[in-house]
Amino acid sequence: MSENQNPPADTSREVTVAPEAGTVVGPAERFTDPGVPEHKHRLTDTDPRAAKRAERTVTFLFVLSVLGTIGSIVAYIMVPPDGTTSGVRLSTLLLGLGLAVSLLGIGVAGIHWAKSLMGDREMVQERHPLASSDETRADAVRDLNDGLQDSGVVGRRGVLKGAFFGALALFPLAIAVPLIGSVGGDWNISKFKHTMWKNGTRLAIDPSGRPIKASDVTVGSVFHVIPETTEEFRETHEWITEKSKAVVLMVRLNPEDLRTDQSPEGETWSHEGIVAYSKICTHVGCPVALYEQQTHHLLCPCHQSTFDIADSAKVVFGPANRRLPQLPITVDDEGYLVAQDDFAEPIGPSFWERLK
Amino acid sequence: MAKPQRPTTAIGKTADYLDQRTSIGVLVKEFARKVFPDHWSFMLGEIALFSFVVLVASGFFLTMFFEPSMALVRYEGEHPASMHGQLMSAAFASTVEMSFEVRGGLLMRQIHHWSALIFVGSIVVHMFRIFFTGAFRKPRELNWIVGLTMLILALAAGFSGYSLPDDVLSGNGLRIIDGVVKSIPVIGSFMSFIVFGAEFPGGHIIPRLFTLHIFVIPALLILLIGLHLFLMVLQKHTQYPGAGRTDKNVVGYPAAPVYVAKMTGNFFIIAGVLTLMGATMSINNVWNYGPYDPSPVSAGTQPDWYILFVDGALRLMPGPGWEWVIGGFTLSMNLLIPAVIVPGILFTLLFAWPFLEARVTGDHREHHVLDRPRNRPVRTGVGVALLVAFIVCALAATNDLIATHFSLDIFVITWALRVLFFVGPVFAFWVTKRVCLGLQRKDRELVLHGHESGRIVRFANGEYIEVHAPLEEEERWLRVNYDSPVPLEIQPAMDARGVRRKGYKSDRRWQRLSQFFYEDRVAPVTPAELEAAHSHAQHDEIEAKEPTGAGAAGGRRKR
């Protein structure tokens, strides 16, 4: 490796690489490279007082860093978080400021040192082509061939080679099969198609779990609804999974505003203007939570799919393709709202086997 | 040669000890004074590297207190009061606890989150620098691929980490992932089971993401960072064009001491700035959102910035009509297009770009001197077009905020952005390409006619001209020393015997693409052209001299 300190006319003066395919300008039509510009001295190179000043600045910055570290430790001892949000914020701020000063002190000192005091003469080194020389390549190929010869598999013993590669290719299966087999739990895709709603399940308020009487639902009001279950079940993991599918949004409209719902001929899925729709967006499954009373529109806050509650919850805007599935409801003997059945179609986003 | 003396100092003895066992002297000799070119934009990759170091350090702190478990617990802590007694996963509880009970816990969480945002950001900006200056050209195509792979890993690291606290926001993020995964044809439903280990959300996703987040992804990143830097040192760094810089040399400062000091300093400054951000700017206050519950969600919630473009694409895609049922199976194009196909095209294009460009340029040389972006108008235009598409999608992901802040109809905003997604990149490409060509012409003009001096001279015949000062040699070199490729030339369709040539059609397609790249070109000034321009100017000068006399220093007189 040769080092040319600021060469006035080194090899780099030669014409730039001769252009090949794809370029038009021939080497003779090129300007010549004037070479690396002359070095310009800094103030600290020529003025000893400036150099001294820079040295003092660097020293000061290192000392500042030490002070930052000390400050951080003092803050740790003197300002413990008292648990309140503001106390935690104060502790975070003081610890962080101390650490930041400590780090920035070192960083700025180092850069200042490098820029003002360390050598700043540009140096030139040559690059060498990355490709190895022809001899090296020939040697490498010969070595590889020698190795292959020694292994005794060249040109014969096809069965040995086949067995060797076969074994190598197959052994990962012994790890992959149990892993992939187990990683998906029970693989029961049909679970996507059912929720815990069934005939007679009462509609309850989310999250308290109190059942809802039809008479308590005033016109225009919105209820976030879950199926009624026991308190104990609502403290389990299964509940979170079930809730992810079963949440429902219930609205009472003026019966004359309710143009259509999803009930088939001869059935009634709503009750005196009360309709219940799955709250899981048919787009990617966000909870559809924003209801606009004036327009009867239900908006998904994640991607703005908009559904018309007064018209079978059909899509009026946004990236969802399908209407929200309707939960068929009625009232029981005591006047509580209950489901007639599970949803008639899978809730939530689409999947390959959805209609199978 | 004199017998070498035994070292006497402690450092000398240590070095001797090490060298006798490792021949480390060879390495030191090779690298101590290795020259690296200097430019502020070479620091962008460093920011990414050092943010990663800060991520590892702060992440280590967090693992001491985080519990990657979805077991349901009641939060016993007194603070914050809103969380007391609530049922939540152990992951969420430990996140809140480390924020409120562990001194410096919240600081480290915030440093970690800010570092992640800056990490991905600096990778992207670094990548743009590489793209616009052509640093991906031979021999660096492989390192471009390594870098892109790291970008994907960084996105995965960010998303997996974002999901770990198991709060309402991250839970909804996972639910969106579940929806996207389920939309994949044939295997989607099984993929969902693989990811969650059960039906969404199940009880496995947090520990699984934790393993990915703190082990698999960082291990791969460290491996690839090592490879990235190894290739960088092996191939030596690129340099910006300028006097004395060629494809056969490297002009810059030595590793020791200048780069050692600058890089160390830079690391501490970046760590310091990230700490300052963590100390003063609160981020992801999960206790305000609460533990994951499938029911609530609020408007105005956005993912971390690097996921915005996918989220925005999901919002822009119109739904009705884009779910196809084929043979009873459901194909959700309204999810596949924005969440799988669009990012797929983006990354495929990025991975393929160095090879595509080399092919249409017919270029097999090594390049170590960077391009000025203006000298590659189509590449620069495509880069800006991609950037505009990215920004349109990111804006779409904030359409609800735009609607509320500017009192606009969200449907109108969405429609405007849908149009802009197609029109914006095309327009940006066209404008950028024109700007580049304009700048190239400006360069030509400057080289041929020199700087405007502001000195107006009147001729004897009453004509006024402005005297132009010629460029310094270095200035001129920068503007004339570049390749201006022409479109590929191909063999004719018929060979000498009039037989149709095989492969002509493919050649013709490549040629068309090459024409798209290089049809509009501005060639660099040649010495002959400059000479011609001067001899033309000479005539002006002689006349110009007379009225101004000896005061007319500079100007063209020297030539």
Side-chain angles (χ1 to χ4, degrees):
Chain A
M1 209 169 26
S2 70
E3 287 180 11
N4 284 324
Q5 295 241 341
N6 194 17
D10 64 335
T11 47
S12 64
R13 252 188 188 289
E14 74 188 11
V15 177
T16 8
V17 207
E20 292 163 14
T23 54
V24 282
V25 182
E29 295 167 359
R30 287 275 191 171
F31 285 88
T32 48
D33 187 346
V36 179
E38 214 169 300
H39 179 67
K40 289 198 184 71
H41 287 291
R42 296 167 299 192
L43 189 59
T44 43
D45 294 328
T46 51
D47 181 359
R49 278 189 315 182
K52 196 76 202 159
R53 205 160 47 235
E55 205 180 313
R56 273 201 300 274
T57 310
V58 173
T59 314
F60 166 77
L61 286 165
F62 279 125
V63 172
L64 192 67
S65 162
V66 173
L67 292 178
T69 310
I70 294 171
S72 183
I73 291 168
V74 170
Y76 177 84
I77 298 165
M78 305 292 285
V79 194
D82 57 5
T84 62
T85 309
S86 57
V88 169
R89 289 251 170 265
L90 182 67
S91 161
T92 300
L93 180 67
L94 293 178
L95 282 173
L97 285 182
L99 179 58
V101 170
S102 144
L103 292 166
L104 286 171
I106 298 175
V108 178
I111 301 279
H112 192 55
W113 189 352
K115 291 203 129 180
S116 61
L117 296 171
M118 289 180 186
D120 75 330
R121 272 180 185 280
E122 281 197 312
M123 295 162 68
V124 180
Q125 284 176 352
E126 278 174 41
R127 287 180 197 271
H128 309 287
L130 284 159
S132 35
S133 67
D134 289 345
E135 301 94 82
T136 315
R137 285 186 180 193
D139 286 353
V141 170
R142 197 198 54 231
D143 286 354
L144 273 180
N145 280 330
D146 289 353
L148 272 177
Q149 290 296 337
D150 285 353
S151 71
V153 291
V154 178
R156 53 206 162 98
R157 295 182 192 163
V159 180
L160 173 65
K161 271 193 280 186
F164 171 63
F165 287 115
L168 276 188
L170 288 180
F171 95 88
L173 282 178
I175 303 165
V177 167
L179 173 67
I180 296 173
S182 312
V183 78
D186 60 8
W187 301 103
N188 187 356
I189 289 171
S190 67
K191 281 182 181 172
F192 294 167
K193 299 178 184 171
H194 308 288
T195 73
M196 63 183 288
W197 290 105
K198 54 180 189 288
N199 183 17
T201 310
R202 280 181 177 167
L203 278 68
I205 290 174
D206 178 29
S208 72
R210 195 163 50 79
I212 308 163
K213 274 194 164 161
S215 51
D216 294 340
V217 183
T218 53
V219 170
S221 60
V222 183
F223 282 72
H224 296 269
V225 171
I226 50 176
E228 186 189 24
T229 58
T230 60
E231 182 96 32
E232 294 80 65
F233 183 63
R234 288 212 306 275
E235 295 187 359
T236 63
H237 247 289
E238 294 73 55
W239 165 243
I240 297 181
T241 301
E242 289 303 335
K243 187 179 178 183
S244 300
K245 293 187 291 184
V247 278
V248 159
L249 197 113
M250 187 180 73
V251 182
R252 183 166 206 160
L253 303 168
N254 268 324
E256 60 267 27
D257 286 344
L258 184 61
R259 271 167 294 173
T260 58
D261 67 5
Q262 298 174 14
S263 48
E265 284 284 320
E267 285 187 47
T268 316
W269 284 5
S270 56
H271 175 76
E272 293 171 1
I274 303 176
V275 283
Y277 286 100
S278 165
K279 199 175 154 183
I280 305 305
C281 187
T282 55
H283 178 222
V284 274
C286 281
V288 183
L290 304 178
Y291 178 64
E292 201 180 38
Q293 219 180 56
Q294 298 293 320
T295 55
H296 315 299
H297 283 179
L298 193 55
L299 181 88
C300 176
C302 287
H303 305 107
Q304 287 86 41
S305 294
T306 310
F307 306 90
D308 190 351
I309 288 293
D311 193 6
S312 311
K314 69 166 197 198
V315 181
V316 287
F317 189 79
N321 173 68
R322 282 180 294 104
R323 58 192 191 178
L324 296 167
Q326 185 174 9
L327 183 72
I329 55 169
T330 182
V331 286
D332 65 8
D333 305 341
E334 298 170 59
Y336 286 106
L337 287 162
V338 294
Q340 294 181 28
D341 198 357
D342 196 357
F343 295 99
E345 55 180 317
I347 58 95
S350 301
F351 50 96
W352 184 246
E353 305 85 350
R354 184 173 175 273
L355 299 176
K356 282 285 166 180
Chain B
M1 199 170 137
K3 200 179 162 211
Q5 283 189 322
R6 303 297 305 162
T8 50
T9 60
I11 294 175
K13 280 178 183 160
T14 314
D16 180 50
Y17 180 92
L18 279 178
D19 190 47
Q20 288 198 34
R21 283 154 185 83
T22 61
S23 65
I24 197 170
V26 180
L27 272 182
V28 174
K29 180 176 167 291
E30 176 74 27
F31 291 113
R33 297 291 271 180
K34 195 175 171 70
V35 165
F36 285 89
D38 202 21
H39 191 268
W40 66 265
S41 70
F42 298 163
M43 201 180 60
L44 297 167
E46 258 179 50
I47 298 180
L49 175 65
F50 295 147
S51 313
F52 181 72
V53 175
V54 173
L55 279 168
V56 171
S58 56
F60 175 76
F61 187 103
L62 300 181
T63 56
M64 296 293 106
F65 306 100
F66 179 69
E67 203 177 319
S69 155
M70 296 178 86
L72 290 175
V73 297
R74 284 213 179 274
Y75 188 66
E76 298 300 339
E78 291 295 323
H79 301 286
S82 59
M83 288 295 118
H84 181 71
Q86 274 211 44
L87 197 67
M88 55 181 67
S89 68
F92 185 79
S94 64
T95 307
V96 175
E97 209 167 277
M98 83 167 83
S99 307
F100 279 80
E101 311 289 339
V102 178
R103 291 190 207 184
L106 180 62
L107 176 67
M108 287 297 161
R109 270 195 59 220
Q110 295 190 152
I111 291 177
H112 196 71
H113 203 137
W114 281 118
S115 303
L117 299 186
I118 300 289
F119 177 53
V120 185
S122 52
I123 291 177
V124 170
V125 180
H126 172 61
M127 209 183 75
F128 273 117
R129 199 280 290 171
I130 302 289
F131 184 85
F132 285 125
T133 59
F136 53 78
R137 291 173 300 169
K138 187 181 172 185
R140 296 183 179 76
E141 308 97 321
L142 298 179
N143 227 6
W144 168 259
I145 290 175
V146 172
L148 264 176
T149 312
M150 285 200 285
L151 171 63
I152 294 171
L153 285 171
L155 296 178
F159 190 82
S160 58
Y162 179 80
S163 304
L164 287 180
D166 201 22
D167 58 289
V168 164
L169 283 189
S170 68
N172 273 311
L174 281 176
R175 181 141 214 188
I176 294 172
I177 291 292
D178 181 50
V180 170
V181 167
K182 279 178 179 161
S183 75
I184 298 170
V186 187
I187 55 167
S189 307
F190 295 100
M191 292 290 291
S192 168
F193 270 93
I194 287 181
V195 172
F196 293 94
E199 248 189 305
F200 173 87
H204 300 286
I205 185 69
I206 297 292
R208 283 181 186 184
L209 287 176
F210 184 70
T211 309
L212 288 178
H213 184 74
I214 71 148
F215 171 60
V216 179
I217 299 171
L220 287 174
L221 273 173
I222 289 170
L223 199 78
L224 290 180
I225 288 172
L227 184 58
H228 204 61
L229 296 182
F230 169 76
L231 284 172
M232 188 265 283
V233 170
L234 182 79
Q235 297 169 339
K236 297 198 170 86
H237 207 285
T238 51
Q239 53 194 348
Y240 275 92
R245 285 133 216 264
T246 73
D247 277 329
K248 293 186 171 151
N249 72 6
V250 48
V251 182
Y253 301 106
V258 180
Y259 274 99
V260 172
K262 277 190 176 177
M263 281 184 71
T264 315
N266 197 14
F267 166 70
F268 280 100
I269 287 181
I270 287 159
V273 170
L274 292 173
T275 306
L276 210 54
M277 293 173 84
T280 56
M281 297 190 269
S282 67
I283 185 164
N284 207 20
N285 300 330
V286 288
W287 56 91
N288 289 342
Y289 314 142
Y292 180 61
D293 178 332
S295 185
V297 68
S298 62
T301 50
Q302 268 62 37
D304 279 345
W305 77 265
Y306 44 83
I307 305 288
L308 282 178
F309 79 104
V310 182
D311 199 52
L314 278 171
R315 295 181 190 213
L316 284 187
M317 181 75 199
W322 288 95
E323 183 174 302
W324 304 339
V325 178
I326 301 165
F329 291 105
T330 308
L331 194 60
S332 300
M333 297 310 289
N334 55 335
L335 291 186
L336 285 173
I337 290 174
V340 180
I341 295 174
V342 166
I345 290 174
L346 173 71
F347 277 97
T348 308
L349 183 66
L350 289 176
F351 272 114
W353 187 271
F355 309 99
L356 194 72
E357 199 188 288
R359 181 72 177 76
V360 298
T361 316
D363 184 0
H364 309 289
R365 288 171 297 150
E366 279 189 21
H367 293 277
H368 302 289
V369 175
L370 296 171
D371 286 322
R372 301 172 84 208
R374 69 182 61 174
N375 290 334
R376 295 296 179 128
V378 170
R379 178 206 293 156
T380 307
V382 170
V384 174
L386 286 179
L387 190 62
V388 166
F390 182 89
I391 291 171
V392 169
C393 284
L395 278 178
T398 57
N399 58 357
D400 47 345
L401 294 182
I402 298 174
T404 50
H405 281 258
F406 298 101
S407 303
L408 293 168
D409 185 343
I410 193 147
F411 298 164
V412 174
I413 297 169
T414 306
W415 264 111
L417 288 171
R418 279 173 184 170
V419 174
L420 213 56
F421 178 77
F422 291 100
V423 177
V426 175
F427 183 69
F429 171 79
W430 179 77
V431 169
T432 309
K433 189 179 157 193
R434 288 294 129 195
V435 168
C436 286
L437 290 170
L439 284 169
Q440 280 183 289
R441 289 198 191 97
K442 173 75 187 161
D443 279 348
R444 270 187 72 88
E445 153 83 22
L446 209 57
V447 170
L448 288 174
H449 303 297
H451 292 294
E452 292 178 0
S453 66
R455 204 165 60 80
I456 309 292
V457 172
R458 197 181 81 167
F459 292 119
N461 62 8
E463 182 191 351
Y464 286 91
I465 63 146
E466 184 185 10
V467 177
H468 284 208
L471 269 62
E472 300 283 329
E473 247 189 316
E474 283 92 10
E475 283 180 290
R476 191 177 64 209
W477 179 244
L478 182 67
R479 287 167 177 78
V480 298
N481 178 40
Y482 66 91
D483 289 335
S484 178
V486 293
L488 292 176
E489 282 170 31
I490 58 170
Q491 304 283 323
M494 307 285 178
D495 65 13
R497 284 166 297 170
V499 181
R500 280 201 82 78
R501 190 166 61 81
K502 236 172 129 184
Y504 171 75
K505 275 194 174 156
S506 147
D507 281 2
R508 183 77 188 97
R509 273 196 294 275
W510 281 110
Q511 189 187 35
R512 287 228 178 84
L513 193 60
S514 184
Q515 279 163 352
F516 167 72
F517 267 77
Y518 299 124
E519 208 157 41
D520 296 326
R521 54 186 287 277
V522 177
V525 178
T526 61
E529 284 177 308
L530 186 61
E531 199 48 51
H534 276 302
S535 61
H536 165 70
Q538 210 85 49
H539 145 83
D540 293 345
E541 256 170 57
I542 296 161
E543 293 180 64
K545 255 185 209 171
E546 283 172 18
T548 51
R556 286 220 180 96
R557 289 197 309 162
K558 284 181 192 158
R559 297 259 156 194

